[in-house]
Amino acid sequence: AAYAVFDDAAAAKAYVKQQGAPIVVKADGLAAGKGVVVAMTEKDALDAIDSMLVGNAFGAAGSRVVIEEFMDGEEASFFAITDGVRVFPLAGAQDHKAVGEGDVGPMTGGMGAYSPAP
């Protein structure tokens, strides 16, 4: 996915206006799984930037934001263990990203994960 990283709200907002919505705004640091906004409108994206960069919603974790292209579809994680030579694949997993039925609402931070993924 195309992306850009910003620590300046004005530059981040200009990028969103150039790219349009839907678009994804992420706190660049650890935000307890809550630092992602899937903005379906430009206004939602601009509000997320203000919340993170201006309002300090996530403290140091939100002092930089990553703005990514929105990609529609399912997401899955695939895990493996390695000793540096061999790779042992583990099961894949999925989680419910948004809190509401039909993938609406704020991000859950991975609550409701299930494995194996269909």
Side-chain angles (χ1 to χ4, degrees), residues 76-79 90-96 112-118:
S77 298
F78 184 75
F79 302 94
L90 302 172
Q94 284 185 297
D95 64 6
H96 298 285
Y114 52 93
S115 177

Side-chain angles (χ1 to χ4, degrees), residues 11-75:
K13 289 178 180 183
Y15 182 78
V16 165
K17 289 176 183 177
Q18 176 190 25
Q19 298 299 310
I23 199 160
V24 181
V25 182
K26 297 181 176 183
D28 191 36
L30 297 176
K34 307 296 184 202
V36 178
V37 174
V38 178
M40 299 310 287
T41 68
E42 190 175 293
K43 181 187 181 320
D44 289 344
L46 300 178
D47 289 348
I49 291 166
D50 279 338
S51 174
M52 292 179 201
L53 290 179
V54 179
N56 206 25
F58 300 108
S63 64
R64 266 191 346 181
V65 296
V66 178
I67 302 178
E68 291 183 353
E69 170 187 4
F70 172 80
M71 297 176 70
D72 192 24
E74 300 225 6
E75 176 183 338

